[in-house]
Amino acid sequence: MVLTIAAAIFVFGLLVLVHELGHFVTAKLTGMRVDEFAIGFGPKLISHRWGETVYSIRAVPLGGFNDIAGMDPADNDAGERGYCEKPVRSRMIVILAGSVMNFLLPVLIFFGIFFFSGVSTPNPEPVMGTVIAGKPAAEAGLLEGDRVLSLNGQPVESWTDFVQGVRDNTGEAVTVTVQRGEDTFTTTMTPVYDSGAKRAMVGVMSSVDTRYPGLAEAARLAVQKTAAILYMMMDALYRILLELSGAELAGPIGVAQMAGEVAQMGFVPLLNFAAFLSLNLGIVNLFPIPALDGGHFAGLCVEAVRGKPMGQKAMEYTQKIGIALLILLMVLATKNDIVRVFTGG
């Protein structure tokens, strides 16, 4: 539980910090007055004023905000430094900067992982890599470095043979013969179906071969990996919209649970998870829903075409619709989280 909470705070805190930092820096660069830069919501835990801005950390680490003067034209006390008084182009830059930072963060994370931890490729040999605590493989006494010799008496010559053997015995006890150093022993484990991965799993990863690229190659690989994940996410989003299915949505509870599980594998896997989530946050924030950055940007596009902002009533209606859609998504995501918690999916 402690690890899950710590991992969730780290991931949420990092993503929110980077996102809000994008808004903050571009607001300052375009001459806007920022009254507060906050990480989290609720009561202030720590706050300090530097210049005209108060920097604070708040009690609930599930978000953050920039209090930019003049966001509401009727309450602008910053004159020409108010958000509403700046050109449309400047406001567009500030609104999009949060998501842009969420797209850049994974590149930096992957670059750091590749350069300092190396590039790992799966070892085709049937040798255990990371063994996750509390999962069937760990409960059976298996450890990193163990070589699987057979499953239910059938020889295992590659990692693919091991994965296939696990899949073929979902929910049934499997006899595993393992070589550890000079010793050979036999134990049993029961593969469990994982609804997220949509296959049987025992909580173990293959061993890996690692090499260390130079600066230029690490940077290139980081960009390539980020682009590949973005493509995968957009394809998955398209299929979700096409099927009108929200079964894969996860809310804060689900994300925290996943962060805790990934943290058990180590800090590098947790950084990978943070990068994945950062891209997800960047995409979602660009949805043209009024309460999100994408909704604000859509409104600015309308203003740029019309030459003036949307009318007050139109703004109220779109905001109400946007808030209703967000509430609906949160309810659906929370329902999925609760189902996963109680069903172990």
Side-chain angles (χ1 to χ4, degrees):
M1 178 61 75
V2 174
L3 181 61
T4 296
I5 294 173
I9 290 175
F10 169 77
V11 171
F12 282 124
L14 178 63
L15 301 193
V16 170
L17 174 63
V18 168
H19 183 90
E20 295 302 330
L21 194 61
H23 293 314
F24 174 78
V25 171
T26 51
K28 289 284 191 179
L29 290 176
T30 53
M32 299 177 189
R33 193 186 80 197
V34 183
D35 294 328
E36 184 177 357
F37 175 81
I39 300 299
F41 293 110
K44 292 180 182 179
L45 297 178
I46 303 173
S47 68
H48 186 80
R49 177 181 291 276
W50 277 294
E52 64 186 10
T53 305
V54 174
Y55 301 84
S56 66
I57 297 177
R58 295 175 175 251
V60 184
L62 297 179
F65 64 89
N66 281 281
D67 184 5
I68 303 175
M71 290 294 290
D72 182 357
D75 190 30
N76 178 30
D77 62 352
E80 293 182 355
R81 297 192 63 203
Y83 172 87
C84 58
E85 294 296 323
K86 294 297 180 181
V88 172
R89 181 176 62 182
S90 296
R91 284 179 277 157
M92 284 181 170
I93 291 172
V94 172
I95 290 300
L96 292 178
S99 288
V100 170
M101 289 293 285
N102 283 130
F103 293 137
L104 291 177
L105 176 62
V107 177
L108 294 176
I109 289 177
F110 291 139
F111 170 78
I113 290 174
F114 293 151
F115 186 73
F116 293 105
S117 297
V119 177
S120 299
T121 54
N123 185 341
E125 297 294 317
V127 177
M128 298 283 179
T130 300
V131 179
I132 303 173
K135 299 297 183 179
E139 292 177 349
L142 300 180
L143 300 175
E144 182 175 350
D146 289 348
R147 173 180 286 271
V148 180
L149 300 178
S150 67
L151 291 176
N152 287 339
Q154 297 297 316
V156 173
E157 298 179 356
S158 67
W159 187 257
T160 301
D161 291 344
F162 173 75
V163 172
Q164 189 60 53
V166 168
R167 287 178 178 174
D168 292 343
N169 291 277
T170 304
E172 300 177 2
V174 181
T175 301
V176 190
T177 300
V178 173
Q179 180 181 349
R180 180 180 298 167
E182 299 298 325
D183 300 324
T184 301
F185 67 94
T186 299
T187 184
T188 59
M189 62 182 179
T190 304
V192 178
Y193 183 79
D194 186 290
S195 58
K198 295 183 179 179
R199 62 184 178 88
M201 302 182 75
V202 292
V204 66
M205 300 171 65
S206 68
S207 61
V208 295
D209 296 321
T210 304
R211 67 180 183 85
Y212 294 87
L215 281 169
E217 186 183 3
R220 177 176 58 81
L221 291 172
V223 172
Q224 289 177 345
K225 183 167 183 176
T226 301
I229 295 174
L230 267 175
Y231 176 81
M232 177 190 69
M233 285 183 170
M234 295 303 295
D235 180 63
L237 177 62
Y238 171 75
R239 286 187 279 106
I240 288 173
L241 294 175
L242 198 65
E243 298 171 5
L244 294 177
S245 170
E248 297 180 4
L249 288 174
I253 298 173
V255 172
Q257 185 182 32
M258 286 184 280
E261 292 175 355
V262 173
Q264 294 180 26
M265 303 179 194
F267 187 61
V268 170
L270 185 62
L271 284 176
N272 272 287
F273 178 70
F276 184 87
L277 205 61
S278 184
L279 290 173
N280 193 55
L281 178 62
I283 293 172
V284 170
N285 255 291
L286 291 179
F287 285 0
I289 297 175
L292 300 177
D293 291 344
H296 288 294
F297 182 74
L300 291 172
C301 289
V302 172
E303 180 179 342
V305 172
R306 296 177 72 233
K308 60 181 180 180
M310 294 173 61
Q312 187 65 30
K313 286 190 175 180
M315 286 290 291
E316 289 178 1
Y317 286 139
T318 54
Q319 286 175 355
K320 288 178 180 177
I321 293 172
I323 291 172
L325 287 173
L326 280 180
I327 291 174
L328 179 62
L329 285 173
M330 285 303 298
V331 168
L332 180 58
T334 302
K335 184 268 292 181
N336 289 346
D337 289 348
I338 293 172
V339 170
R340 290 188 187 102
V341 169
F342 283 101
T343 61

